[in-house]
Amino acid sequence: MQVTVVPHAGEITGISGKTAVVIDVLRATSTMVTAFANGATAVMPFFTPEEAKQYYGWHNNKLLLCGERKGVKITGFHLGNSPLEYTGDVVAGKTLLMTTTNGTKAIKRSETAGTILIGSALNAPAVADQLLRLHEDVVLVCAGTRERFSLDDFAVAGLILCLLRERVKLAMDDRARAACLLAESREMRELLLMSNHGQYLVELGFTEDIEYCAQVGKINLVPYFDGKMITI
Ligand code: 3SL
Ligand code: MG
């Protein structure tokens, strides 16, 4: 199995027809995985708040407007981007219209891939299982932060690669190898807390979110994106 790592959403090329895993561990994909674990029906990613609001205006039954800019809930939206907000009583049976700075952009920009899975530390073992079942070449798409490399997403790419490498022979380039080395070097919690975006979230008061997002394997499901909707 050949594996490659895309470092950020500005460098998504050459993924047509491949199996992609999009990772925005802080915090969009962790939030999506949590929402599904708590009974959300679907997530629709949007590039901008305006697009999400327009869709909401047309179909607002059982929909929630969700997302952030600069880490903070968008004015007029129901939910921000903290996974801890996405409890069963809030999201069960709901479709979430979501726009975030990097995560939803990376998902939408991956739409030419053949299969698009949503990955995080929370569901990393389930993602690895799914990739082994599919047994195709894999591109791990790190959302990154504002089109720049982000240690947090790269660490989760490495975690998934390490989990795969225990069970199948991988053909890795040096970037994939570096991601594995990073994931093996420290606990996920420590890696997320030391990343630039982790430190920014701590400044905003979201330390608890980071602790939550660092829990490897807490959730056993793998959402996938069909080009319009994310479902499980
Ligand atoms: O960039 C994103 O998509 C967000 O996950 C960033 S934040 O953690 O909500 O600031
Ligand atoms: Mg991020």
Side-chain angles (χ1 to χ4, degrees), residues 54 74 85 98 100 118 148 166 182 188 209 212:
Q54 192 177 45
I74 298 162
E85 294 175 82
M98 191 168 223
T100 70
I118 304 300
R148 295 177 67 179
E166 287 167 8
L182 175 67
M188 185 56 65
D209 282 10
Y212 173 82

Side-chain angles (χ1 to χ4, degrees), residues 24 26-28 68 70-71 81 100-104 197 200-201:
D24 183 6
L26 298 177
R27 295 165 292 174
E68 58 66 44
K70 298 186 178 167
N81 194 28
T100 70
T101 312
N102 308 287
T104 54
H197 192 61
Y200 175 69
L201 289 174

